[in-house]
Amino acid sequence: MTVTTRSVCPFDCPDACGLLVTVKNGHAISVSGDPDHPVTRGLLCPKMGHYEQTVHSPRRLTTPLQRVGKKGAGEFEPITWERAIKLICSRWQGICSTYGAEAILPYSYAGTMGLVQRNAGHAFFYKLGASRLERTICSPAKDAGWKMLMGDTPAMEPAEIEQSDLVIMWGINAAATSIHALRDAQAARQSGARLWAIDTYRTPTCDAVDEAFLVRPGSDGALALGMIHVIEREGLLDRRFVAANVLGFDKLAAEILPDCSPAQMSEVCGLPVSVIERLAREYARAQAPFIRLGSGLTRYGNGAMTVRTISCLPAVVGAWAKPGGGIFVGTSTGGAFPLQTVTREDFIANNPRLVSMNQLGNALTELDDPAVMALYVYHSNPATIAPDQNAVIRGLEREELFTVVHERFLTDTARYADIVLPATSSLEHPDLYRCYGGYHAQRCGAAIPPVGEAKSNWEVFCLLAAGMEWDDPFFRLSAEELIELLLVEENQWRSKAVTERLRQGEPVMLTPPTDPKKEWLTPSGKIEVLNVRDKEPLPRLLPTHAERDGYPLRLQPAVTPFALNSSFYEQDNLRSKQKCMELMMNRGDVETRNLVDGQVVIVSNDRGEVRFTLRISERIPPGTVVTEGVWWREFIPGDRGVNALTSQRLTDGGRGSTLYDVTVEVRGA
Ligand SMILES: Nc1nc2c(c(=O)[nH]1)N[C@H]1C(S)=C(S)[C@@H](COP(=O)(O)OP(=O)(O)OC[C@H]3O[C@@H](n4cnc5c(=O)[nH]c(N)nc54)[C@H](O)[C@@H]3O)O[C@H]1N2
Ligand SMILES: Nc1nc2c(c(=O)[nH]1)N[C@H]1C(S)=C(S)[C@@H](COP(=O)(O)OP(=O)(O)OC[C@H]3O[C@@H](n4cnc5c(=O)[nH]c(N)nc54)[C@H](O)[C@@H]3O)O[C@H]1N2
Ligand SMILES: [Mo]
């Protein structure tokens, strides 16, 4: 029998698409975009077009495994769930009594974005007293930068892009990461809008717009300051809007802008003076300019300041007052669902230490008192995606470290595990989804039974709680019951009717409780260009970390349309579209190093050496090299991926990762 059911894309993408899954005899046979979903509208990315090939991949883990070979060798034998849970609990109990519970570290991120499964381990590890993980690898600098200027003001509705007459895709490869935003921007273009992209190399998004502008990595703050300088100098400021809505513009104009002439900023960002001037004039004269800000430019030592500075632009030209004008940085719908009913912060006792997920390498190799003796990884692949891969792998190789990995596939991290547990895919468990690229939300049930003996994140934590002999009834709730706790009562974000539609599995729109374009939720009630509470009271130019490192080339780890971080490498068709782990380099930089297209090169800095296949590309400006994708070790030319070159340093605000803030040298292999 064939049935079609609704589901939701669980991946870490702004769009949380609505899916239609066709199921035959318990097997998913095809997946398509839901035509009735308000944002997806039937359009799905290449990765999800054949999600059934991920779900039923022959590579899926189907039973628990116990290590029999050397750490990292990937040699295991199957064991039962009962035995696996017993082994884990008895080892943890031993560690707790010898070293204390803080010697146990959970590590999870965004394999699934569903509110229940993503946060399934919080309550368990809080109750255990384990070290707490700071989950800051993605873009907390973006939130920090926004907050410094805009406080708790919610995001504008991103679909307003369609009403804009000048759209800027700024630091976002929307053709890969936000295809619905690009579709909507194209609709604006049909009605006469101009489209720009600002990036560090010529991405597919640059091909889809009218004009692309390439800046040096981490220098967008300089471009924005140069533009604001011109806007002020040439009287293009919306004085009335600024007087009524902005705090401290005069101070910016007096103390910062004099040193931000286009000539000075051109030295930093690399765009000619005439281009900075033109961008400023056309931006200020547009009726309703709309900026869609990506996360790429936040992963630098100055990332939060960059977001804060760019976000001043719509304020100085009064774009907020126009339909279609403003800046979209990302939605945060925290108030819509009472997440603490799942995460149970009330279980936290004695304030266990916080460990940054960006510094896992240090945590596993240097942290003391107590050292990390047990690591539990679920829905994340830190051996591949975490910065400073050599430090992470040195840690994972420690013989005395007890590592458990709950996964769908035998990832590079799972290869270092003592115990591997098989995880369900999103089609095999229920959840409730919201997203960071819009205001939609949707609940879905399981579409198919679990593959093999796979269990969901929540089911495993229930088994572990039973294995620890805890009798708290919370760990006997089902995932469906947790979803119901999240939907309990309506609130300002969702009416009774919307909540009921969510219960029925329909996609719905949440509504922010205040008007994002009129009410500034800051202490002063204004857009705070001057923020006296911050150690940097005004936006200003800050350097990146790597500027001080002294290697001649900027390395930019970038995204590909055919994978999502280290996910989707199991699909052969998608992987073959990416060909191999390439280093793209400008012809001039290739020739000065006497290299040739197609050869294997070694890219190095203080942290490591990585082999890539060299590709000459006119898409890359001089002085920068780019690699797309975060590859599994089995598919790359050497034994290290791009993150052997990235660092554990943090951003200026939000303690985020600085994965893009890297310099290197390149030589022939
Ligand atoms: N296909 C695909 N989709 C994805 C992902 C994926 O890996 N693949 N990842 C998902 C995740 S986890 C996230 S967080 C989002 C991120 O999605 P986005 O917000 O789009 O961010 P990125 O793609 O990381 O970076 C966007 C662009 O920033 C550019 N960039 C880098 N540094 C700078 C800079 O200093 N200045 C400027 N102007 N541009 C710069 C990069 O070249 C890239 O084109 O996408 C999600 N969606
Ligand atoms: N070089 C470089 N490094 C990067 C990035 C980059 O662009 N370049 N991007 C960074 C960013 S923005 C992010 S957000 C992080 C993302 O880092 P991660 O969140 O670790 O993302 P993935 O690499 O997609 O790994 C997720 C894993 O979860 C597993 N999984 C999926 N669903 C489930 C489930 O329900 N249960 C369990 N137990 N497992 C599941 C998948 O099989 C997959 O192996 O990576 C960061 N690292
Ligand atoms: Mo991310």
Side-chain angles (χ1 to χ4, degrees):
M1 202 183 67
T2 306
V3 287
T4 298
T5 48
R6 270 183 155 158
S7 191
V8 182
C9 176
F11 292 102
D12 186 356
C13 167
D15 290 353
C17 279
L19 307 177
L20 295 182
V21 184
T22 306
V23 177
K24 191 174 177 186
N25 302 330
H27 260 64
I29 54 170
S30 67
V31 176
S32 59
D34 185 346
D36 299 325
H37 187 281
V39 172
T40 305
R41 286 187 260 143
L43 175 67
L44 221 50
C45 71
K47 307 180 295 300
M48 287 303 282
H50 285 290
Y51 185 40
E52 76 285 353
Q53 292 181 12
T54 289
V55 172
H56 297 294
S57 163
R59 289 173 175 268
R60 277 291 295 273
L61 294 166
T62 53
T63 64
L65 303 171
Q66 182 173 16
R67 175 167 71 92
V68 290
K70 219 172 109 250
K71 284 217 172 196
E75 291 160 23
F76 298 94
E77 65 182 22
I79 53 171
T80 63
W81 269 102
E82 207 185 345
R83 173 130 183 85
I85 297 292
K86 231 190 205 127
L87 283 170
I88 297 167
C89 291
S90 66
R91 189 73 185 259
W92 282 356
Q93 278 156 342
I95 288 171
C96 287
S97 55
T98 313
Y99 303 94
E102 277 186 324
I104 300 173
L105 178 68
Y107 196 98
S108 70
Y109 199 62
T112 172
M113 298 292 277
L115 292 180
V116 169
Q117 306 297 350
R118 179 177 199 195
N119 300 298
H122 287 49
F124 180 89
F125 287 110
Y126 290 156
K127 199 166 164 63
L128 187 64
S131 288
R132 288 177 293 159
L133 188 72
E134 248 180 3
R135 291 177 172 80
T136 44
I137 202 165
C138 184
S139 48
K142 205 174 186 182
D143 304 332
W146 173 261
K147 221 178 158 71
M148 284 177 223
L149 184 77
M150 306 295 288
D152 294 324
T153 310
M156 68 184 290
E157 169 51 54
E160 271 195 45
I161 198 171
E162 290 195 48
Q163 298 169 58
S164 167
D165 63 333
L166 173 62
V167 172
I168 310 180
M169 293 285 175
W170 199 325
I172 182 168
N173 185 0
T177 63
S178 300
I179 59 169
H180 303 92
L182 190 58
R183 175 200 60 197
D184 296 349
Q186 299 289 8
R189 195 185 193 188
Q190 293 289 316
S191 324
R194 280 168 305 152
L195 261 56
W196 294 346
I198 302 176
D199 210 295
T200 48
Y201 76 104
R202 228 185 137 78
T203 63
T205 305
C206 296
D207 296 339
V209 298
D210 298 304
E211 264 189 289
F213 304 92
L214 303 188
V215 295
R216 294 202 183 106
S219 71
D220 302 83
L223 171 57
L225 285 169
M227 287 170 71
I228 298 171
H229 176 105
V230 175
I231 288 167
E232 201 267 342
R233 184 184 74 194
E234 302 190 358
L236 297 169
L237 210 64
D238 184 335
R239 291 207 177 275
R240 204 183 302 161
F241 183 88
V242 170
N245 295 279
V246 176
L247 184 73
F249 183 80
D250 289 350
K251 226 169 153 55
L252 184 81
E255 293 177 21
I256 305 290
L257 294 185
D259 295 325
C260 299
S261 69
Q264 286 161 302
M265 297 302 95
S266 165
E267 290 289 313
V268 184
C269 74
L271 288 175
V273 171
S274 60
V275 171
I276 299 176
E277 288 176 339
R278 179 163 70 84
L279 289 177
R281 289 174 194 140
E282 294 189 18
Y283 177 77
R285 287 181 184 137
Q287 270 306 307
F290 180 103
I291 299 172
R292 174 95 186 197
L293 196 69
S295 302
L297 45 71
T298 76
R299 297 190 188 113
Y300 294 86
N302 58 8
M305 184 60 96
T306 298
V307 174
R308 176 180 176 183
T309 310
I310 294 172
S311 301
C312 291
L313 281 165
V316 298
V317 301
W320 288 117
K322 329 259 180 64
I327 180 169
F328 181 81
V329 167
T331 38
S332 145
T333 52
F337 306 103
L339 198 55
Q340 68 283 2
T341 56
V342 171
T343 51
R344 297 303 299 263
E345 275 73 17
D346 56 306
F347 285 171
I348 301 176
N350 304 328
N351 198 23
R353 69 182 170 196
L354 277 169
V355 174
S356 167
M357 71 184 301
N358 300 319
Q359 296 174 332
L360 180 66
N362 286 352
L364 296 181
T365 55
E366 291 175 9
L367 204 61
D368 216 349
D369 197 26
V372 175
M373 301 303 293
L375 179 71
Y376 183 92
V377 181
Y378 61 114
H379 77 110
S380 183
N381 184 14
T384 304
I385 59 87
D388 201 354
Q389 188 182 40
N390 282 314
V392 173
I393 288 180
R394 266 200 312 280
L396 291 173
E397 280 172 344
R398 273 172 53 209
E399 201 47 51
E400 72 281 13
L401 178 75
F402 177 64
T403 303
V404 181
V405 177
H406 182 211
E407 249 300 341
R408 303 175 309 165
F409 298 105
L410 197 64
T411 57
D412 293 338
T413 311
R415 284 175 190 276
Y416 287 94
D418 296 280
I419 306 276
V420 180
L421 304 172
T424 43
S425 76
S426 64
L427 296 191
E428 299 149 56
H429 57 236
D431 219 328
L432 172 65
Y433 299 87
R434 60 172 183 209
C435 65
Y436 56 94
Y439 280 107
H440 51 288
Q442 193 173 359
R443 172 195 193 158
C444 63
I448 57 169
V451 169
E453 295 175 24
K455 290 191 190 295
S456 73
N457 295 356
W458 176 246
E459 287 173 303
V460 176
F461 286 107
C462 294
L463 288 177
L464 288 168
M468 300 300 277
E469 298 179 356
W470 296 347
D471 56 11
D472 195 312
F474 178 72
F475 294 104
R476 291 196 292 275
L477 294 175
S478 67
E480 295 282 8
E481 285 168 321
L482 288 180
I483 295 172
E484 275 306 319
L485 288 180
L486 292 172
L487 292 179
V488 86
E489 290 176 359
E490 64 277 12
N491 60 30
Q492 286 174 302
W493 293 81
R494 52 180 168 84
S495 63
K496 216 176 187 128
V498 164
T499 305
E500 206 35 55
R501 286 175 53 214
L502 266 173
R503 285 210 172 84
Q504 304 304 322
E506 285 179 39
V508 302
M509 298 303 283
L510 305 168
T511 36
T514 55
D515 187 336
K517 294 183 68 176
K518 287 211 177 89
E519 285 177 66
W520 320 116
L521 303 188
T522 59
S524 65
K526 292 193 168 185
I527 295 172
E528 295 193 336
V529 166
L530 173 69
N531 180 336
V532 289
R533 297 170 312 283
D534 197 72
K535 67 177 189 302
E536 297 282 356
L538 289 166
R540 70 176 181 98
L541 209 56
L542 289 184
T544 61
H545 290 312
E547 273 162 46
R548 296 184 287 260
D549 288 350
Y551 290 90
L553 295 164
R554 281 278 186 175
L555 167 69
Q556 215 210 284
V559 293
T560 161
F562 306 114
L564 188 131
N565 304 316
S566 75
S567 291
F568 291 101
Y569 283 84
E570 69 281 353
Q571 279 194 37
D572 298 337
N573 286 336
L574 286 173
R575 203 179 57 247
S576 61
K577 291 212 173 75
Q578 276 197 74
K579 299 197 197 85
C580 60
M581 191 171 82
E582 290 181 339
L583 186 79
M584 297 190 284
M585 197 182 211
N586 181 279
R587 183 176 296 280
D589 285 326
V590 169
E591 285 170 359
T592 51
R593 288 171 178 75
N594 294 318
L595 301 170
V596 291
D597 187 67
Q599 78 167 98
V600 173
V601 289
I602 297 175
V603 181
S604 61
N605 62 19
D606 290 351
R607 290 174 290 276
E609 290 201 341
V610 181
R611 286 167 177 260
F612 293 85
T613 302
L614 183 68
R615 191 64 62 210
I616 295 180
S617 171
E618 301 316 325
R619 291 178 169 272
I620 313 298
T624 296
V625 287
V626 175
T627 182
E628 294 176 340
V630 197
W631 287 73
W632 293 5
R633 200 193 280 184
E634 66 177 282
F635 302 123
I636 63 183
D639 70 346
R640 289 294 183 266
V642 59
N643 280 325
L645 299 163
T646 58
S647 93
Q648 300 183 55
R649 292 180 295 215
L650 303 178
T651 52
D652 52 335
R655 296 175 54 80
S657 68
T658 56
L659 287 158
Y660 292 4
D661 199 348
V662 187
T663 53
V664 294
E665 181 49 293
V666 179
R667 65 176 195 273

